[in-house]
């Protein structure tokens, strides 16, 4: 039998003491298939010590496990750190035997690739890419569908994936619910399956809403939810913080009720596993995507302007940021009160529960395409991609390409190695700091993907570092890179960069294609992550020589750009990492573009300095930079000729300042940039100070948000957010679980002897301290700008006069 379809997920089962790969295939016919490959075996490598015979090592291997007949040893040639070596390939039937075998032989040499998970090993060796069409040649044997072959298909359109978005509500009289005592009271879901759409709320109290289905008990409701997932034939189930809460709670609560929470399509447990620092949910035959993790990832990598500046990534905040709509909301602390309340309150709770699932659906449809494209580009399964960092994505991409190149994957560093790496930081980028002030007629040039282009141009790779090669590139720090053999990093990066160029061309022709836009973002995210991975202390491919060479070349090119511009009569105001800001003076646009064209002629083929934009005005603010006196490192705002405002480094993009400070600063910047009117900018500050003094400011404008990263009892020193959290816990308004490791929003009130004493959580604050917000928020945020225009604090507070303009 042959079917066409995509790989949805890959895992494995143990059968008769042997590992059997299981591939979940979503067919173009809309059906899901459970397919097995029992022929593929797990393995690892040993580079044996000198004077040791193969027979001796084989005897040690056979003695270490119960079924020695299941182990085969082969001699193979592989490249290790660029040098070809003969290794022993140790193959077994059971992936669970790999740790035992590794332990048995590691004293006789160096072992490699013993920690690559069996399912990933299969995908790497078979060169398989998820969410991509293949032809699967299948046959039946003993009631199982086995894989004979997997071959690429030309099919572009992938099968429609049946998707469910869900959310649970839990009884919470103590604030934080306990699975041992507090029931699940509602489960809402929205879905798209086999061309149909729908949504519903499940509960066990009578609610007069058409979308509500009432059951007899909590256990009957949970059973119905499990049944609904199977009925709808769901491929992807998505929640928001569902790995840490919803699914975990359903699993624990089901145990308490004497039932098993199982939503798998095939045999196996629905379980939680560690993936780096995050929890992930494994569901046999289905994919779980926690959109909270996806949103945080996209925010960190800067792939969405709409969520980049959010103070916290709650579902409400993210939904409202991407849609502009207001989401239905209730106070989470009062959920148990609504459940115990009137018919109207129950109805309100049901509407809120359903709104969570529908809001999640919108968030998923906005951001999941990037996750899907990252899965396609890296080749990692979607469930793992959704919980991966950029480092983990690059790591897997390098593993796949190392196998293709016949290179051994380096081992992960141990803690001692990591500590040594962290003690030797790599010198960073060159920064030319400007004189603070307001400037007219500017231009910004930046290098297109400077660090990726340096890696490509100079063949920078851990395996190309050489000391005795005849033909080489030499970095400014003296490291040499072999010219005669391309490293896998430059090869991958060249592919990513060229692919992105092509995708961007296609996307310009079809801006409605969401996945083309997402693929462009995915390619950019990955290509920009390689340098960081080279210098990351926990990286398999860490190299101080490589990472240091990249930044050294970067410093060289920025200095060359500055020097060349100055020779052509431009004044270089600022330079940092990969960009420069020039003052045009009496230069025309034509002369500026002619300089750019001339400069690019002398760059390597894969490197290019690009025009970012021409700007009519810019504000650069003074900031102390170590070793350089006063300057402005990434702290500026500019307005382009088209009216687009670019802001870097100011508090309005940070969450640990109040909204009033950030918004006042933004208005001051915009007034100076758009109107060139410093007096009007100062008047804005004076008006805000007046409103604060008169007590008219809303508390929501004054809240300051920051995250508690430890237990509230583990801090050595105090802080406003810590004290606000402790007060709320002590008064019984919040539980420890609610505040620990959470983003805390607090207000500085009038009551207390110190700032920390005065801090109250925003939801419990009744007033505010105007002097604190004037002197510690608004004035510091705006004086950094207005000081350059000769205003002082007394003038802004109305107790002095402006010096002069």
């Amino acid at each position: 039998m042959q079917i066409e379809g995509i790989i949805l997920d890959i895992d494995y089962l143990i059968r008769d003491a042997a590992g059997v790969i299981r591939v979940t295939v979503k067919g173009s016919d809309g059906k899901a298939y459970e397919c097995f490959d029992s022929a593929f075996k797990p393995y690892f490598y040993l580079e044996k010590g000198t004077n040791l015979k193969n027979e001796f090592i084989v005897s040690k291997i056979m003695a270490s496990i119960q079924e020695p007949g299941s182990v085969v040893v082969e001699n193979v040639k592989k490249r290790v750190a660029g040098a070809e070596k003969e290794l022993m390939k140790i193959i077994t039937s059971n992936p669970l035997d790999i740790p035992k075998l590794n332990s048995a032989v590691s004293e006789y040499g160096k072992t490699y690739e013993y920690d690559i998970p069996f399912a990933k090993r299969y995908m790497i060796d078979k060169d398989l890419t998820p969410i991509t069409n293949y032809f699967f040649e299948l046959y039946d044997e003993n009631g199982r569908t086995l894989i004979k072959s997997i071959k690429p298909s030309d099919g572009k359109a992938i099968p429609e994936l049946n998707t469910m978005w869900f959310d649970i509500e839990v009884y919470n009289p103590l604030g934080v619910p306990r699975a041992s005592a507090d029931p699940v009271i509602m489960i809402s879901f929205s879905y798209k399956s086999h061309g149909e759409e729908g949504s519903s709320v499940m509960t066990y109290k009578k609610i007069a809403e058409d979308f509500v289905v009432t059951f007899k008990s909590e256990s009957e409701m949970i059973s119905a939810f499990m049944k609904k997932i199977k009925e709808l034939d769901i491929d992807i189930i998505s929640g928001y913080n569902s790995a840490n809460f919803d699914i975990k709670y359903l699993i624990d609560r089901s145990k308490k009720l004497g039932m098993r929470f199982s939503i798998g399509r095939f045999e196996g447990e629905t379980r939680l596993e560690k993936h780096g620092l995050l929890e992930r949910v494994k569901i046999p035959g289905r994919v779980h995507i926690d959109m909270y993790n996806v949103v945080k990832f996209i925010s960190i990598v800067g792939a969405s302007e709409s969520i980049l500046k959010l103070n916290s990534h709650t579902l409400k905040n993210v939904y409202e940021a991407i849609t502009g709509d207001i989401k239905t909301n209730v106070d989470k602390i009062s959920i148990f009160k609504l459940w115990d309340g009137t018919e109207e309150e129950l109805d309100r709770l049901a509407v809120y529960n359903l709104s969570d699932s529908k809001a999640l659906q919108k968030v998923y449809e906005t951001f999941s395409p990037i996750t899907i494209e990252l899965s396609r580009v890296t080749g990692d399964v979607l469930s793992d991609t959704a919980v991966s960092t950029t480092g983990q994505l690059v790591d897997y991409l390098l593993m796949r390409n190392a196998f293709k190149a016949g290179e051994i994957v380096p081992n992960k560093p141990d803690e001692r190695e990591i500590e040594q790496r962290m003690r030797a930081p790599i010198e960073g980028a060159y920064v030319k700091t400007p004189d603070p002030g307001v400037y007219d007629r500017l231009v910004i040039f930046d290098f297109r993907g400077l660090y990726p282009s340096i890696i490509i141009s100079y063949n920078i790779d851990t395996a190309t570092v050489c000391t005795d090669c005849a033909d080489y590139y030499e970095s400014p720090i003296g490291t040499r890179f072999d010219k005669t053999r391309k490293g896998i990093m430059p090869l991958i990066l060249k592919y990513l960069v060229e692919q992105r160029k092509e995708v961007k061309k296609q996307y310009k022709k079809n801006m409605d294609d969401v996945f083309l836009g997402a693929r462009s973002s995915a390619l950019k995210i990955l290509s920009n992550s390689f340098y960081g991975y080279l210098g990351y202390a926990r990286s398999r491919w860490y190299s101080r020589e490589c990472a240091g060479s990249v930044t050294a070349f970067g410093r060289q090119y920025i200095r060359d750009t500055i020097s060349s511009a100055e020779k052509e009569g431009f004044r270089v105001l600022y330079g940092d990492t990969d960009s420069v800001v020039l003052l045009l003076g009496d230069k025309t646009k034509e002369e500026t573009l002619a300089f750019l064209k001339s400069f690019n002629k002398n760059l390597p083929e894969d490197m290019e300095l690009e025009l970012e934009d021409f700007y009519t005005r810019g504000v650069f603010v003074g900031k102390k930079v170590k070793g350089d006196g006063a300057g402005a490192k990434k702290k500026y705002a500019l307005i382009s000729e088209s009216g687009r405002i670019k802001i870097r480094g100011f508090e309005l993009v940070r969450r640990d300042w109040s909204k009033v400070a950030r918004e006042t600063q933004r208005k001051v910047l915009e007034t100076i940039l758009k109107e060139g009117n410093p007096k009007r900018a100062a008047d804005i500050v004076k008006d805000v100070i007046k409103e604060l003094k008169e007590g008219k400011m809303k508390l929501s404008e004054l809240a300051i948000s920051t995250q508690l990263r430890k237990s509230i009892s583990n801090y050595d020193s105090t802080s406003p957010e810590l004290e606000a959290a402790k007060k709320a816990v002590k008064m019984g308004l919040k539980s420890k679980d609610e505040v620990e490791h959470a983003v805390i929003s607090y207000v500085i009130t009038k009551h207390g002897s110190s700032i920390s004493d005065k801090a109250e959580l925003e939801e419990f604050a009744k007033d505010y301290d105007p002097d604190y917000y004037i002197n510690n928020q608004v004035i510091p945020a705006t004086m950094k700008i207005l000081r350059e225009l000769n205003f002082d604090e007394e003038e802004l507070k109305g107790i002095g006069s402006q010096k002069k303009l």
Side-chain angles (χ1 to χ4, degrees):
M1 173 176 69
Q2 179 176 278
I3 63 166
E4 186 178 12
I6 63 169
I7 295 169
L8 194 61
D9 198 28
I10 298 182
D11 59 0
Y12 73 91
L13 301 175
I14 300 295
R15 289 287 178 270
D16 300 322
V20 180
I21 289 290
R22 175 168 62 182
V23 182
T24 300
V25 176
K26 177 74 175 185
S28 56
D29 57 3
K31 296 178 183 177
Y33 296 84
E34 183 183 29
C35 309
F36 296 93
D37 189 338
S38 55
F40 187 76
K41 306 296 181 188
Y43 63 87
F44 68 105
Y45 297 101
L46 169 68
E47 182 185 350
K48 65 179 183 179
T50 54
N51 303 321
L52 286 174
K53 293 186 178 180
N54 283 11
E55 294 78 10
F56 171 77
I57 293 173
V58 170
S59 68
K60 294 294 181 183
I61 290 170
M62 300 311 175
S64 68
I65 57 172
Q66 291 180 339
E67 296 187 36
S70 65
V71 178
V72 176
V73 179
E74 298 175 356
N75 291 324
V76 296
K77 286 185 177 179
K78 289 277 183 178
R79 295 187 73 87
V80 180
E84 190 171 277
K85 295 187 178 182
E86 189 169 285
L87 306 177
M88 296 178 74
K89 183 178 181 181
I90 301 166
I91 308 164
T92 185
S93 297
N94 191 336
L96 302 180
D97 284 339
I98 293 284
K100 301 176 201 169
L101 292 166
N102 179 58
S103 179
V105 302
S106 57
E107 63 181 293
Y108 305 115
K110 189 166 184 179
T111 55
Y112 298 98
E113 303 195 4
Y114 50 83
D115 59 352
I116 297 177
F118 186 34
K120 289 192 187 298
R121 177 85 272 173
Y122 181 78
M123 294 174 66
I124 289 168
D125 289 26
K126 297 287 185 180
D127 194 22
L128 299 174
T129 304
I131 323 296
T132 302
N133 280 302
Y134 289 97
F135 288 116
F136 297 86
E137 192 70 38
L138 309 172
Y139 65 98
D140 289 332
E141 186 179 278
N142 299 326
R144 287 194 303 183
T145 301
L146 300 185
I147 298 170
K148 185 176 181 181
S149 68
I150 304 175
K151 296 177 181 177
S153 159
D154 292 332
K156 300 296 182 188
I158 66 170
E160 194 71 33
L161 297 175
N162 302 330
T163 308
M164 174 183 279
W165 303 273
F166 84 105
D167 179 69
I168 70 171
E169 303 303 338
V170 178
Y171 196 69
N172 61 339
L174 299 183
V176 173
R178 305 150 297 164
S180 60
D182 300 320
V184 179
I185 53 179
M186 284 183 186
I187 305 175
S188 70
F189 61 88
S190 182
Y191 69 87
K192 287 184 178 179
S193 174
H194 296 293
E196 296 183 358
E197 300 181 30
S199 59
S200 182
V201 169
M202 294 176 164
T203 188
Y204 45 96
K205 277 191 177 181
K206 186 69 177 174
I207 298 174
E209 289 281 3
D210 292 342
F211 59 81
V212 174
V213 180
T214 305
F215 297 90
K216 294 178 182 177
S217 65
E218 179 191 7
S219 56
E220 188 178 285
M221 175 187 69
I222 294 173
S223 295
F225 179 61
M226 293 190 286
K227 186 178 178 183
K228 179 61 69 173
I229 291 169
K230 291 169 186 175
E231 280 178 2
L232 293 172
D233 193 26
I234 294 301
D235 299 307
I236 297 176
I237 183 165
S238 180
Y240 205 81
N241 199 30
S242 46
N244 286 318
F245 182 70
D246 302 72
I247 288 181
K248 185 178 187 303
Y249 203 92
L250 286 165
I251 290 172
D252 293 343
R253 187 64 191 159
S254 296
K255 285 179 185 174
K256 177 67 179 176
L257 294 169
M259 54 194 290
R260 185 168 70 99
F261 185 74
S262 177
I263 53 175
R265 183 180 252 148
F266 306 134
E267 175 191 348
E269 294 289 324
T270 299
R271 65 189 189 276
L272 273 73
E273 295 179 348
K274 277 287 182 187
H275 184 83
L277 298 175
L278 296 180
E279 292 276 7
R280 69 171 170 194
V281 178
K282 295 296 286 183
I283 307 171
R286 308 189 205 278
V287 173
H288 170 259
I289 298 181
D290 189 332
M291 285 308 297
Y292 176 67
N293 293 330
V294 172
V295 164
K296 280 181 68 179
F297 173 89
I298 287 171
S299 178
I300 288 167
V301 300
S304 172
E305 286 291 330
S306 63
I307 62 170
L308 190 60
K309 299 174 184 179
L310 289 180
N311 288 341
S312 66
H313 297 108
T314 63
L315 178 60
K316 179 180 184 295
N317 286 355
V318 174
Y319 172 79
E320 291 178 358
I322 63 176
T323 65
D325 297 332
I326 301 299
K327 182 191 167 299
T328 303
N329 206 40
V330 301
D331 182 358
K332 286 192 177 292
I333 291 177
S334 65
I335 284 174
F336 79 99
K337 294 178 183 176
L338 296 175
W339 177 252
D340 291 337
T342 63
E343 288 184 12
E344 185 180 339
E345 286 172 319
L346 265 175
D347 184 84
R348 185 178 161 211
L349 184 58
V351 169
Y352 163 70
N353 185 215
L354 186 62
S355 77
D356 272 0
S357 291
K358 290 191 170 182
L360 173 62
Q361 179 177 348
K362 182 63 181 176
V363 172
Y364 176 93
E365 288 170 348
T366 302
F367 296 122
S368 68
I370 293 179
T371 305
I372 290 170
E373 290 303 325
L374 282 168
S375 174
R376 283 170 162 167
V377 175
T378 60
D380 204 358
V381 290
L382 190 55
S383 57
D384 285 358
T385 303
V387 290
S388 290
T389 63
T390 54
Q392 288 165 334
L393 294 172
V394 170
D395 191 70
Y396 188 69
L397 193 54
L398 283 165
M399 283 188 197
R400 288 178 66 96
N401 284 274
F403 177 80
K404 290 178 187 177
E407 292 192 8
I408 286 291
V409 172
N411 293 331
K412 290 179 180 177
D414 58 28
E415 288 304 318
R416 181 186 58 80
E417 227 177 327
I418 292 166
E419 193 178 324
Q420 286 177 342
R421 292 172 178 182
M422 293 178 75
R423 282 203 300 262
I426 294 157
E427 187 180 350
Y430 170 73
V431 178
K432 174 181 169 53
T433 57
D435 294 325
V438 180
Y439 299 89
D440 293 334
R441 298 196 70 230
L442 312 96
V443 65
I444 294 183
F445 293 137
D446 60 13
F447 283 95
R448 175 175 48 82
L450 179 61
Y451 286 176
S453 65
I454 286 171
I455 293 171
I456 295 167
S457 298
Y458 295 100
N459 199 28
I460 295 175
D461 188 276
T462 55
T464 62
V465 175
C466 61
T467 54
D468 55 356
C469 44
D471 195 10
Y472 56 83
Y473 300 105
E474 185 167 344
S475 77
I477 61 171
T479 305
R480 295 177 178 181
F481 300 96
D482 194 343
K483 282 187 178 183
T484 61
R485 189 179 63 85
K486 273 288 182 186
I488 59 171
M489 283 196 189
L491 285 171
I492 296 170
L493 277 170
K494 192 161 181 76
Y495 168 79
L496 295 175
V497 169
E498 289 179 351
Q499 274 284 299
R500 186 161 186 254
K501 282 183 189 175
E502 185 56 37
V503 168
K504 285 174 79 175
K505 285 180 190 174
Q506 295 174 24
Y507 187 49
K508 282 181 181 177
K509 295 175 185 175
N510 184 9
M511 299 292 282
D512 294 327
D513 191 325
V514 172
F515 282 94
L516 275 177
R519 189 168 185 85
S520 177
S521 294
L523 291 163
K524 181 181 180 181
I525 289 166
L526 288 167
S527 62
N528 286 342
S529 300
F530 272 74
Y531 162 71
Y533 182 78
L534 271 172
Y536 175 49
R538 296 182 180 274
S539 162
R540 291 179 187 268
W541 272 270
Y542 172 89
S543 171
R544 197 164 191 278
E545 295 92 343
C546 290
S549 293
V550 173
T551 53
F553 273 122
R555 293 191 296 273
Q556 175 182 293
Y557 278 107
I558 286 294
R559 287 191 179 107
D560 287 349
T561 308
I562 291 170
S563 175
S564 298
E566 287 174 343
K567 285 177 184 175
E568 288 297 315
F570 293 94
R571 180 185 166 191
V572 180
L573 179 64
Y574 175 57
D576 185 8
T577 310
D578 60 357
S579 61
V580 291
V581 180
L582 310 183
L583 296 178
L584 295 181
D586 58 2
K587 295 282 187 183
T588 64
K589 282 187 183 180
E590 291 73 22
E591 288 173 316
T592 304
L593 296 174
F595 161 72
L596 180 64
K597 186 177 180 181
S598 172
F599 183 81
N600 275 323
K601 285 180 182 177
N602 298 314
L603 291 176
E605 179 186 351
D606 294 295
M607 197 174 292
E608 184 182 358
L609 187 67
E610 296 181 313
L611 168 71
E612 181 189 283
D613 213 339
F614 287 99
Y615 295 88
T616 55
R617 186 174 291 115
V619 178
F620 288 78
V621 171
K623 177 181 177 181
K624 290 289 182 184
V625 179
K626 189 175 179 180
D628 253 342
K633 186 178 180 183
K634 284 195 177 176
K635 205 168 185 68
Y636 57 85
L638 306 105
I639 185 166
S640 71
E641 292 180 340
S642 62
R644 180 178 66 89
I645 291 178
K646 176 176 182 171
I647 297 172
R648 291 291 181 269
F650 284 105
E651 281 70 31
L652 59 92
V653 297
R654 288 172 48 188
R655 72 182 182 196
D656 55 350
W657 283 71
S658 62
K659 186 176 179 182
V660 66
R662 288 183 277 120
E663 283 299 298
T664 307
Q665 187 185 73
R666 181 185 61 79
K667 290 175 183 176
V668 165
L669 284 170
E670 287 187 356
T671 301
I672 294 169
L673 293 173
K674 290 180 177 179
E675 302 176 23
N677 188 337
K679 185 179 183 305
R680 168 69 190 126
D683 287 343
I684 289 170
V685 180
K686 291 176 185 177
D687 290 344
V688 170
I689 289 173
K690 183 173 182 289
E691 191 175 349
L692 281 165
K693 285 180 176 178
E694 293 173 353
K696 296 179 180 178
M697 191 70 65
K698 292 181 180 177
L699 292 178
S700 59
E701 300 291 308
L702 305 171
I704 301 164
S705 299
T706 190
Q707 187 174 13
L708 289 177
R709 301 191 178 276
K710 297 189 288 188
S711 168
I712 59 175
S713 59
N714 286 350
Y715 282 88
D716 296 326
S717 57
T718 190
S719 64
E721 63 270 20
L722 180 62
E723 289 306 309
K726 282 183 174 179
K727 280 183 202 173
V729 171
K730 187 176 180 179
M731 294 170 67
L733 301 170
K734 291 277 187 181
S735 69
K736 280 184 71 176
D737 287 341
E738 279 184 290
V739 298
E740 289 184 344
H741 307 286
V743 173
I744 300 296
S745 293
Y746 63 90
V747 172
I748 303 302
T749 69
K750 295 178 179 178
H751 315 288
S753 58
S754 68
I755 291 174
S756 292
D757 288 340
K758 293 179 177 182
E760 298 275 0
L761 293 187
E762 178 189 357
E763 58 209 275
F764 307 125
K766 298 291 188 288
D767 57 36
Y768 66 85
D769 180 352
D771 289 338
Y772 170 81
Y773 286 96
I774 292 167
N775 296 320
N776 297 73
Q777 292 277 315
V778 174
I779 290 291
T782 55
M783 273 308 298
K784 294 170 183 177
I785 306 159
L786 293 173
R787 187 177 290 113
E788 310 308 331
L789 301 172
N790 291 313
F791 285 91
D792 57 28
E793 290 187 28
E794 287 73 17
E795 156 70 1
L796 296 180
K797 292 177 183 177
I799 55 177
S801 58
Q802 184 193 353
K803 297 172 186 176
K804 62 177 180 178
L805 281 177

